[in-house]
Amino acid sequence: RQKELTLQAIVDQLAGLSDQHPVVFVMEDAHWIDPTTLELMELTVERVPDSSVLVLITHRSEFDAPWSGHPRVTPLALRRLEARDCVQLVDLVVGARTLPESLREQISMQTDGVPLFVEELTKSVLETAILSGDAPAAMEVPATLQDSLTARLDRLGPAKEVAQIGAVIGREFRHDLLTSVSMLGAEALGDAIGRLTDSGLIYLRRSGSHATYAFKHTLVQGTAYGSLLRHRRAEIHARVAECLARDFPETDESEPELLAHHCSEAGLAEQAVDYWQMAGQHAMKRSANIEAEGHIRKGLEILASMPEAPQRHRREIALLNTLGVCLMPTRGFGNPEVAEAFSKAALISETEGDLRGLFVALRGKGQYQMISGDLRAAKDQAGTILDLAEKLEEPGLLIEAHHLGWSSLSFTGDFIAAREHAETGIALYDRERDHHLTYVYSGHDPGVCCRSFGSLALWQLGYPDNALALCRDGETLARELSHPFTLMVALWALGMMYLLRREIGEIGTIGEFLIHHCGEMGFRPFVPLGHIFRGGGAAEQGNFYDGISELREGISGMRSTRTKYTLPLFLAWLGELHLKADQIEEGLNAIEEGLAMANEDGDRFSLPEFHRVRGELLMARSAERKAEAEDAFKQAVGIAKDQQAKSLELRAATRLARLWHSQGKTTKARDLLAPVYGWFTEGFDTADLKEAKALLDELS
């Protein structure tokens, strides 16, 4: 959420400035763009057509710009300069001095129409002539731009080393950091900076107490960097890392990836791995999971070159567990790469006797099992890690053990146990202390999750009003935390709650939000949830063709990400929508498919619903199927009773009582429905209780 708000604030700032005067916004070298800046540019391109802003984006031809098809975007391919234009550019660089015509033409021909080449080769020729005292006509034109830049750097004397140190620091470098790394006196460093700026190879980017310089072009930086011998380059990287850690300690917290980079290039493997781990976690806190994955994988790559040792194994466990958590929002909880990371971490943890590492790995593995369709294994895993957490006696571990308990048991039909896990989580959770668990275990906040899943268990157990209130508490907390993926979880639960309460008008709105929110934040595997809610909501309002089609699209999308969690419930809903659309065979097919999946995976959350909807479909297919339908309704009532799922028991009992009433079995119908309805102490304004009350009045 923090990243989303920051990007929005930048675009709002642009729009605000354009209200005062026209604005030009330039983004150079977009072919090197990072994922977060790419999001910013896409958002900017969407917004600026309504403002007085001209956005100029430069990139190489091989870059596939996502905004290229936008109606207000005009692509302009910059071609190489014609020969006469090259000569004119040479004259502009030469100024009052003169170059022979033959030399001007040679520069034009050798640079192949690339403006930077023309400028640099011309400056190189002039500098050589000035320093050597030779006539320009006697000068040779360097064969390549690389040769030209190398020659210009060589002519700078001691300033060349300052350029090399700056190149190691980066395309931009701060004066105070350069001072620390170079260890030159103020006068010597000032002279070197003066020569570099006079030559045009660097320029002052920001003045004042935090003076910052930048290389004119990446090629200039690359040439200076490439002119260093390997061992000298590593020495400077090590020196930069040392100075950053000592003189700029805030870098640890704000830019650990910078320290990781310098330690990597310096060959400081252990420090580099630790910083890449920190960088991954730092990026995850900003919901920049794509960047986080890159950082973690760099750490693992360096780790692979380290010798076998306990220290290496501990670092590998931490990296693999962080990778598994990092991949959940962007690849999906059920992605095989998630399972691979946690499984490998668990194996190493067991071998090394690392109980905390093992806990994190088994916690993540259990979540993968739950989402990918093995609820029985996830339930067993919840018991295993609860035992482990109790041995280690840490509040965070206990919360996360119960976390897997409330999320897995909710869908195995153990609603009382799921409620107990959720209530324990609510009691243990401290927002200030425990929000960090988000980035260690599951990518979302456990305090929000226990409220979300606790609400689903409460609804099943017959407390619809308390369930809705708890679910909304979870949403409120998610918005206060401003964590985008946690908000997605909270809204998923709220959409589920509205579906269970049959308050369909709210579902489509949540679906619309999830589609855009998950798409913008990079949570692609969860966009299908939005289509399920939006499509189902539209179908409930009578738009059966488009609504059912979109709901099916969402179900297919979930399958493509290996997500089976909650799919049986959505298939039961699909079957009921086909019933409302008078598409009986399609409805029966959806029910059979969902029931088979539920039985295979151990998903019993919506088991009574399959039998109730199947009974409805059988009755709609043929009047002769009433006996078969009655058996289905009875089965739904029996399963709900066994699960103590009062809400679904009431729904199934109401349907069975209506059937008996139509057969003249009024007393039997009343004796079935009255005790179930009489059990409830809340929720009397919900559709299920209103329908049951109306039928009881009719039976009386």
Side-chain angles (χ1 to χ4, degrees), residues 153 158-175 177-179 181-182 184 189 192-193 196 201-202 212-218 220-228 232-233 236-237 240 258 261-262:
L153 283 168
K160 176 183 177 180
E161 184 176 355
V162 173
Q164 291 171 324
I165 294 171
V168 170
I169 295 172
R171 172 81 185 272
E172 293 186 10
F173 50 92
R174 285 173 51 172
H175 189 278
L177 178 59
L178 185 66
T179 301
V181 176
S182 68
L184 291 174
L189 183 60
I193 290 289
L196 287 167
L201 293 173
I202 69 169
T212 302
Y213 297 91
F215 285 95
K216 176 185 175 181
H217 193 277
T218 304
V220 179
Q221 180 202 1
T223 301
Y225 188 82
S227 65
L228 284 162
R232 177 59 179 153
R233 188 186 306 167
I236 298 175
H237 274 294
V240 172
L258 190 58
H261 163 71
H262 288 297

Side-chain angles (χ1 to χ4, degrees), residues 5-25 40 43-44 47-48 51-53:
L5 291 173
T6 302
L7 298 183
Q8 190 62 55
I10 295 172
V11 177
D12 289 345
Q13 176 76 359
L14 267 179
L17 288 172
S18 71
D19 290 340
Q20 303 169 31
H21 52 72
V23 175
V24 177
F25 179 20
L40 171 63
L43 188 61
T44 302
R47 283 282 305 276
V48 295
S51 309
S52 300
V53 180

Side-chain angles (χ1 to χ4, degrees), residues 60 71 95 103 117 165-166 198 295 319 359 371 384 409 511 639 698:
R60 293 175 181 170
L103 200 54
F117 290 17
I165 294 171
D198 289 344
H295 298 330
L319 283 169
F359 179 90
I371 299 296
T384 300
L409 296 181
I639 294 170
E698 189 178 338

Side-chain angles (χ1 to χ4, degrees), residues 188-258:
L189 183 60
D191 289 344
I193 290 289
R195 292 203 64 183
L196 287 167
T197 51
D198 289 344
S199 71
L201 293 173
I202 69 169
Y203 62 93
L204 181 64
R205 183 71 179 266
R206 187 183 300 112
S207 59
S209 58
H210 296 297
T212 302
Y213 297 91
F215 285 95
K216 176 185 175 181
H217 193 277
T218 304
L219 290 172
V220 179
Q221 180 202 1
T223 301
Y225 188 82
S227 65
L228 284 162
L229 295 175
R230 184 176 298 177
H231 75 276
R232 177 59 179 153
R233 188 186 306 167
E235 286 175 0
I236 298 175
H237 274 294
R239 177 73 181 155
V240 172
E242 177 189 347
C243 292
L244 283 172
R246 184 191 66 214
D247 302 332
F248 307 92
E250 69 278 5
T251 310
D252 269 26
E253 184 63 32
S254 61
E255 294 181 278
E257 63 274 13
L258 190 58

